[in-house]
Amino acid sequence: MRGLLLLLVVPAATSWLVPVAPARVRTQLNGVVNMPALSSTMKEGKLSEWLTTEGSPITAGDAIATIESDKADMDLEAFNDGTLLKILVEDGETAKVGDPIALVLEEGESEEDVMAMLNGGGGSTSAPAADETAPPSAPPAAVSEPSTPHTKVYMPALSSTMTSGKVVSWEITPGDSISTGEPLLTVESDKADMEVEHLGEEGFLARVVVEEGGSCEVGEVVAVVVEKETDVAAWEDWVPGASGTPSPAPAATSPAPAVKSSSSKAASSPSPSPPSGGRVVASPLAKKIAAEKGIDLSQVTGTGPEGRITVSDVESFTGSSSASTPPKSSPPPVSTWKPASGVIAATPMARVLAKKQKIDLATITGTGQFGRVTELDVKSAMGEKPKKKKTTGATAPIELPSGFVKYTAMQSAVSSNMEATLAIPIFRVSRVIEMTSFNALYAKVKVKGVTLSALISKAVAMAVEKHPIMNSRHDPKGGIYYNEDINIANAVALEGGLITPVMKNANEKTAEELGVEWKELVQKAREGKLKPDEFNTGTFAITNLGMFGVSAFDAILPPGTGTILALGATTPVLAPCDTCIGGISKRMEMTVTVTCDHRPIYGSDAAVFLKTLADVMENPEKWKIA
């Protein structure tokens, strides 16, 4: 499967943005294109093929390279104009995530300027000298990276425009087991809140690096998963950058003594006292072992950060066990979980609703699991009663907004995509389709769970199957790229933006199968749980404003596609009828409009396609669409 990855090429006066900002490259260099992270497990990528050559101009929307990751091959697409100055990684070569792979020259810049940016602009070879007069900082003592088998989890790029992500919530806590495909955390991207599944082997969550509410750049470590439960304790105090790997920063004038082991660290400082207030702070595994041995954790002195009790503290505890208290009387570890300090635990939908209504989540008491604030809690705080019926009275007055309102992440992504379409030469063709027979068919299959969007998508897919050119797109190499699968994307409006869930291989599925699939996709879209391949793999797009009474409209062509179909409302019209009394009959009609890329698709192609689509929808029984 081949996806599409957008590369943003911007003027020299602004910073370069690419979909990935790895941990070791904090600021992207002007003119330097880095190897992006195409998945949460990707550590390096292979440059399958450069689609352009050195010195060639780059136009917005052109795919400049194909990158092979551990998941799929993806095109790297330019977002603005520029010139490919130099290729640093040749075809067939690999590079680590974050390493430079090419240089791009913007108008007004010289080759020497860009090369200087590469050699000295990243801060990896030089850094400002430390102020010798200032007191030395006291960072936390480093803990060497344990040698136990493990897998690091990185902040994934959930969309082509995402450069950083925010951890909304962790679905499990350190010490818990995790299997392949199970939800690990929820990440807020520029598209929506999405669940991130564990893609590695089965294991145990050993370390959460980015707590709930925290943010980091794409490609940075957010967690560590180990193979054995007994290895969890070894990672409790580990932090990225303290693994013993040489740091790219220059050495200080007086190097600090290296930490040899956790025991030497403990010996060099007084034992921390337990936290005040009677609350026992311990790792999940330490609690589990203490419960099995019948040890009262309030009697154990913790040696971890801020007095946290670790596994070694429990195992080395020499006090008496409370044999009279059965282990089962202790609360299970999961019930003692609390969010990080300063973080309000809430579901993604609750956060969206609270943000929209400008309600402080800290003022709401959560009733969900772990005390999380749910959507119902927010609605209750708004004064909305559960299952409140709609009233027929006058609507409440609407407060008119005023002044500047910054785009949300999703709105910014939509805005950028729309601007990219300005460089595409398009044309539009419209046709009226008689809908009486189609509406009658829908009335029959509706009781089987077939939605109108699914039934229309099935009809469109059957028409596209007869005209493959409508399922193609322009290829920057100077030709037509025919998509192997017919994946129908339907636009869905969301609060603060829109998204296009995709029904894959729509021509090969029944209307009932598409109906079930579409309902699941829409539910995921509203909950912000769509996976990237569920909204960015469409080959033919549909947008429908007919439910709002819009008779006809023109759609903007999404980047990376060749055609989008706009559907208007179905309206009753009077038409001549030779067999009817009075010579006039009433029938239902719908106006459809296709917007096409004129490079691979011509007007005659669109016209013939619409003729076939009209035949399918006007004679659904003949085509057996349901």
Side-chain angles (χ1 to χ4, degrees):
M1 179 183 71
R2 170 168 290 190
L4 183 62
L5 185 66
L6 298 181
L7 170 66
L8 182 60
V9 183
V10 297
T14 60
S15 63
W16 280 78
L17 299 176
V18 295
V20 171
R24 63 179 177 275
V25 185
R26 302 296 301 187
T27 303
Q28 295 296 334
L29 310 181
N30 290 344
V32 180
V33 182
N34 297 318
M35 174 64 72
L38 306 182
S39 71
S40 59
T41 57
M42 176 176 170
K43 297 181 180 179
E44 64 178 13
K46 179 180 179 181
L47 214 305
S48 298
E49 178 185 10
W50 281 102
L51 305 179
T52 184
T53 58
E54 292 184 358
S56 299
I58 297 174
T59 305
D62 288 351
I64 63 172
T66 300
I67 295 176
E68 177 184 331
S69 72
D70 56 349
K71 301 298 178 186
D73 290 352
M74 300 187 75
D75 287 343
L76 195 63
E77 184 176 305
F79 205 76
N80 288 329
D81 298 339
T83 301
L84 184 61
L85 176 62
K86 187 172 182 59
I87 293 176
L88 305 178
V89 178
E90 299 293 341
D91 292 355
E93 296 181 350
T94 59
K96 293 183 178 180
V97 170
D99 285 353
I101 61 175
L103 302 179
V104 179
L105 184 66
E106 178 64 28
E107 184 178 357
E109 294 178 332
S110 65
E111 181 175 347
E112 290 75 14
D113 294 336
V114 178
M115 294 301 296
M117 296 172 192
L118 174 65
N119 296 327
S124 59
T125 58
S126 62
D131 187 358
E132 298 181 358
T133 61
S137 59
V143 178
S144 298
E145 180 174 306
S147 59
T148 58
H150 65 278
T151 300
K152 291 187 177 70
V153 181
Y154 301 91
M155 176 63 72
L158 302 180
S159 72
S160 58
T161 55
M162 176 177 170
T163 57
S164 64
K166 178 181 178 181
V167 176
V168 176
S169 63
W170 286 96
E171 305 305 322
I172 62 174
T173 58
D176 291 345
S177 61
I178 181 73
S179 300
T180 304
E182 289 185 351
L184 181 59
L185 72 158
T186 300
V187 173
E188 177 183 318
S189 71
D190 58 349
K191 296 289 185 184
D193 291 353
M194 300 184 189
E195 280 189 351
V196 176
E197 296 179 353
H198 177 53
L199 302 179
E201 301 294 332
E202 294 183 0
F204 298 85
L205 181 62
R207 180 78 168 92
V208 170
V209 178
V210 181
E211 299 288 349
E212 292 184 349
S215 300
C216 69
E217 309 250 348
V218 169
E220 289 191 5
V221 179
V222 296
V224 177
V225 175
V226 296
E227 294 181 3
K228 300 178 181 179
E229 187 176 7
T230 54
D231 295 335
V232 172
W235 290 86
E236 285 185 346
D237 300 328
W238 177 82
V239 292
S243 58
T245 304
S247 172
T253 53
S254 56
V259 178
K260 297 181 179 179
S261 65
S262 57
S263 59
S264 63
K265 177 188 72 173
S268 63
S269 59
S271 300
S273 59
S276 59
R279 177 171 175 261
V280 176
V281 180
S283 70
L285 187 57
K287 292 179 181 179
K288 181 178 179 181
I289 295 176
E292 293 174 350
K293 295 184 176 182
I295 298 176
D296 184 2
L297 287 176
S298 63
Q299 300 178 13
V300 180
T301 301
T303 61
E306 300 181 357
R308 189 185 193 197
I309 299 173
T310 64
V311 174
S312 59
D313 297 329
V314 176
E315 293 177 341
S316 61
F317 179 67
T318 57
S320 60
S321 302
S322 54
S324 60
T325 304
K328 64 180 181 180
S329 64
S330 301
V334 68
S335 64
T336 61
W337 178 87
K338 292 183 180 295
S341 177
V343 176
I344 306 299
T347 64
M349 293 303 294
R351 294 181 185 277
V352 172
L353 183 59
K355 183 177 181 180
K356 177 184 176 183
Q357 299 295 332
K358 299 180 180 180
I359 297 177
D360 186 1
L361 287 173
T363 63
I364 303 176
T365 301
T367 61
Q369 189 178 18
F370 306 127
R372 284 182 180 175
V373 178
T374 66
E375 184 180 8
L376 292 178
D377 296 331
V378 178
K379 290 182 177 180
S380 178
M382 295 164 50
E384 181 178 333
K385 297 180 180 179
K387 297 181 180 180
K388 184 178 180 181
K389 295 183 179 180
K390 295 182 180 180
T391 60
T392 57
T395 58
I398 299 176
E399 182 180 357
L400 296 178
S402 62
F404 172 78
V405 178
K406 186 177 179 59
Y407 281 148
T408 63
M410 179 180 289
Q411 288 172 331
S412 296
V414 172
S415 175
S416 298
N417 286 338
M418 294 304 99
E419 290 177 359
T421 65
L422 297 177
I424 301 176
I426 62 169
F427 69 92
R428 298 182 175 94
V429 177
S430 299
R431 183 185 177 106
V432 174
I433 297 178
E434 204 273 308
M435 294 291 290
T436 304
S437 298
F438 189 87
N439 289 347
L441 174 64
Y442 174 59
K444 292 180 182 179
V445 299
K446 184 178 180 180
V447 295
K448 300 179 182 180
V450 179
T451 63
L452 182 60
S453 295
L455 192 60
I456 292 176
S457 296
K458 176 62 177 178
V460 170
M462 295 181 72
V464 170
E465 195 173 29
K466 298 297 181 181
H467 306 279
I469 189 66
M470 305 303 293
N471 198 46
S472 68
R473 61 175 172 82
H474 168 71
D475 193 304
K477 290 184 289 186
I480 302 172
Y481 185 88
Y482 287 92
N483 293 294
E484 183 177 5
D485 301 323
I486 299 178
N487 300 336
I488 305 298
N490 281 263
V492 174
L494 301 175
E495 290 292 339
L498 61 86
I499 202 164
T500 54
V502 177
M503 286 178 279
K504 300 178 182 178
N505 302 304
N507 58 314
E508 300 176 0
K509 299 176 181 176
T510 65
E512 291 185 26
E513 290 173 335
L514 292 176
V516 174
E517 181 177 348
W518 181 244
K519 289 179 181 178
E520 294 176 352
L521 289 170
V522 171
Q523 183 65 24
K524 285 185 178 181
R526 290 172 177 169
E527 294 176 353
K529 295 182 178 180
L530 281 177
K531 299 176 183 177
D533 69 331
E534 292 177 325
F535 64 79
N536 63 11
T537 55
T539 61
F540 189 103
I542 299 176
T543 177
N544 186 358
L545 295 180
M547 71 285 290
F548 299 108
V550 176
S551 58
F553 69 102
D554 298 334
I556 298 177
L557 185 66
T561 59
T563 307
I564 183 171
L565 177 68
L567 306 178
T570 301
T571 56
V573 297
L574 297 177
C577 177
D578 295 337
T579 60
C580 300
I581 299 176
I584 296 177
S585 68
K586 184 179 78 171
R587 66 182 189 180
M588 306 300 291
E589 291 183 350
M590 176 177 69
T591 300
V592 300
T593 303
V594 288
T595 302
C596 304
D597 186 337
H598 210 330
R599 290 171 293 185
I601 304 171
Y602 296 163
S604 58
D605 297 323
V608 175
F609 164 75
L610 288 182
K611 181 179 179 181
T612 302
L613 178 62
D615 189 31
V616 173
M617 301 186 75
E618 291 173 358
N619 303 283
E621 284 146 4
K622 180 183 80 172
W623 287 82
K624 298 179 181 180
I625 67 175

